[in-house]
Amino acid sequence: MTPTVSPLSSGSTDPVIDLRSAAFGYAERTIITDIDLTVHPGEVVAVLGPNGSGKSTLVKGLVGLAQHTAGEVRLFGEPLDHVHDRWRLGYVPQRHTLATSLRSTVGEVVGVGRVAHTPWWAPWRAGSAENRQLIAQSLSLVGLGDQQRTDVTTLSGGQQRRVLIARALAAQPEAILMDEPTAGVDRANQQVLGEVLTRLAAAGRTMVIVTHELEAIRPAVTRAVAIDSGRIIYDGPPDAIDTSISGHVHHHHDDDDDTAGVGAPTLTAPHPMPPVERPHA
Amino acid sequence: MPEFLAFDFMRASLLAALLVGTAAPMVGIHIVQRQMSLIGDGLGHVALAGVGIGVVTGNEPVFTALIVTVIAAVAIELIRSVGRTSGDLALAVMFYGGIALGVVLLSKAPAGTPANTSSYLFGAINTVTNTDLATFTVLAVIVVATTTLLRSRLYAIAQDEDFARSAGLPVVFVNILLSVLTAVTVVVSMRVVGLLLISALMILPNATGQTLGRSFRSSLWLAVGIGIVCSTGGVIASYYADTPSGGSIVLVLIAVFAVAQLGAWLVRVVRGRHQSSLATHPHVHWEDCGHEAVAHGDHVDYVHDGQRHAAHGDHWDEHGPDAEKHASKAPVRK
Ligand SMILES: [Zn+2]
Ligand SMILES: [Zn+2]
Ligand SMILES: [Zn+2]
Ligand SMILES: [Zn+2]
């Protein structure tokens, strides 16, 4: 059987994500509280909110980078701390560069997605035909099929975002969480990213996409959730969101999203040219 | 048979150099990737305290150095994972305390012990005993085997620690293990290059590998090759020139690095910048962008306003139908 990057689905109809009065945060403080959210297989949910609204903490909590401090959290029908195969929930972190201090090819970075599937005692399997095929497929899905041997640092910012999505795909997750996949790239690249996400959505991918720019990804999205001040203020079809929440949005200056606090003051007004945000240290 | 192979101590020295030349770059590449290049230097300082304890208490210095350095390695990684700014000071105290304690203890060494401070600081390969050699072989094999088994995990964690955590990889454990492997490498290298020059053997082959390699994988194997050639070459040079082994090895490493840099620079100058890159190109071509895609050798051109455009790094090139020439001129093209 030829391997495929389509998700390794267990075939269950349990909700992918099921939150009841859930709260997430860090040791010192809770950032986001009392969240009720259920995501079913096949849904593409945009989670919207200004910087500091806690939407990034929600994603980090679900992938195990922030603490689950209260309420009930279930992934694939299991309580969060009982989920052993963490790769089932894919993750595209908010990162503005792939550069490290060492040379890496695009294929090597995407190969990181296969590491959780490769037992430590069998390192030769990292280069197996199956893994090579999955890496190539993931790159074709994001339109970078011919860039596998390219040095990642020579790619543009928009191409690097697509590499991060390919890395998540290579792990064969059942659902993917993305943290600001279009922030800090120019218009043309945002459009391509939006088309890539639409393509994944059309293939039946379950995705939760945190963003403060709905426009670029609107065609991919089946449902929008707006978060402000750590709470959900809207949950419904993406097209009704503009009128429904326009009165609720505040400006935030303390942010937990690791951005420079230059985010959109309103949820839906896109920047003519989005600000290039401070790269992670 | 070359003259130097006739001597037992030279055969032992070359074996020790081979072990160190293989193990040090394999650990070093992961240290460089974490931007912790000087950690080996710090652990080298601490190892001297271990040597001093061994000499004063009459135990084998290699074993006491191993124990002390491994404990320090675990402590360093724990301090680092907490991420407090005061951690920096804690490390400084540990490193300077280590070398100071070592110097003081070694000055109290019982008369008749062959150990002197400078042989540990700068290496004295001809003092390697057969017991040492057996120990070094076992330790080097452990280091090489562990880094080989865990390479993809070590790489993944340094590449993106958040992603590695989200995929369920044991980040803290793997980082502590790398720190311990660094400690073991320091002890194995102690007699060959000396505690003050150990970092050079972990870092410099990788610096050269980075200059010549095109991927993580290829630059690692280049670094290991360079490590082996330079450490054994340095030992042979030190035999003929009657110089200390450690300093000789490091000078050979630096010479190779300089030659590689010069070569890479010359290649860039000769190839020059290609003429066909487009100054402005606001559109992004990809499979679904609507422009016709044409296969062109190993890549794809897009037909755009009567020209053919191809992605080249972070910009776009104009390709004629006969662009083979350009393809060979553009080193980054894949
Ligand atoms: Zn070019
Ligand atoms: Zn186009
Ligand atoms: Zn074009
Ligand atoms: Zn071309």
Side-chain angles (χ1 to χ4, degrees), chain A residues 56-209:
Chain A
S56 194
T57 306
L58 172 63
V59 168
K60 290 199 170 112
L62 290 172
V63 297
L65 299 174
Q67 284 164 23
H68 165 214
T69 53
E72 200 186 340
V73 180
R74 286 176 170 272
L75 299 180
F76 314 107
E78 293 174 61
L80 181 62
D81 47 351
H82 290 178
V83 179
H84 286 300
D85 294 325
R86 301 298 313 217
W87 52 263
R88 291 171 73 190
L89 194 60
Y91 179 44
V92 177
Q94 183 184 19
R95 256 187 101 156
H96 300 281
T97 171
L98 281 169
T100 58
S101 46
L102 289 189
R103 221 172 259 288
S104 289
T105 64
V106 169
E108 285 174 328
V109 172
V110 175
V112 168
R114 298 302 305 157
V115 171
H117 292 273
T118 311
W120 64 267
W121 44 265
W124 57 88
R125 286 202 206 157
S128 68
E130 182 190 9
N131 278 357
R132 276 182 285 135
Q133 217 166 328
L134 289 168
I135 291 165
Q137 274 183 32
S138 307
L139 278 168
S140 325
L141 269 174
V142 300
L144 291 174
D146 58 343
Q147 301 288 324
Q148 194 166 341
R149 294 161 154 284
T150 307
D151 185 338
V152 279
T153 53
T154 66
L155 295 183
S156 72
Q159 288 172 318
Q160 295 197 8
R161 298 304 173 81
R162 285 191 268 156
V163 172
L164 291 178
I165 294 172
R167 180 180 68 181
L169 290 170
Q172 296 173 290
E174 289 166 50
I176 306 181
L177 300 186
M178 302 194 192
D179 198 352
E180 298 279 9
T182 62
V185 302
D186 61 48
R187 273 287 188 202
N189 274 295
Q190 274 193 6
Q191 198 190 331
V192 172
L193 282 162
E195 286 164 13
V196 167
L197 296 179
T198 308
R199 187 192 254 193
L200 296 176
R205 287 272 168 191
T206 311
M207 295 185 280
V208 175
I209 305 163

Side-chain angles (χ1 to χ4, degrees), chain A residues 144 146-147 150 155 159, chain B residues 285 299-302 309-317 319 332-334:
Chain A
L144 291 174
D146 58 343
Q147 301 288 324
T150 307
L155 295 183
Q159 288 172 318
Chain B
H285 295 292
H299 62 276
V300 178
D301 288 355
Y302 292 90
H309 291 172
H312 183 207
D314 62 354
H315 61 275
W316 297 88
D317 285 348
H319 282 191
V332 191
R333 166 156 312 287
K334 292 299 174 301

Side-chain angles (χ1 to χ4, degrees), chain B residues 124-145:
Chain B
I125 201 164
N126 48 12
T127 63
V128 172
T129 64
N130 281 339
T131 321
D132 286 345
L133 205 56
T135 312
F136 292 167
T137 308
V138 171
L139 293 177
V141 167
I142 290 173
V143 169
V144 169

Side-chain angles (χ1 to χ4, degrees), chain B residues 40-53:
Chain B
D41 204 40
L43 285 171
H45 286 46
V46 176
L48 195 69
V51 168
I53 291 169

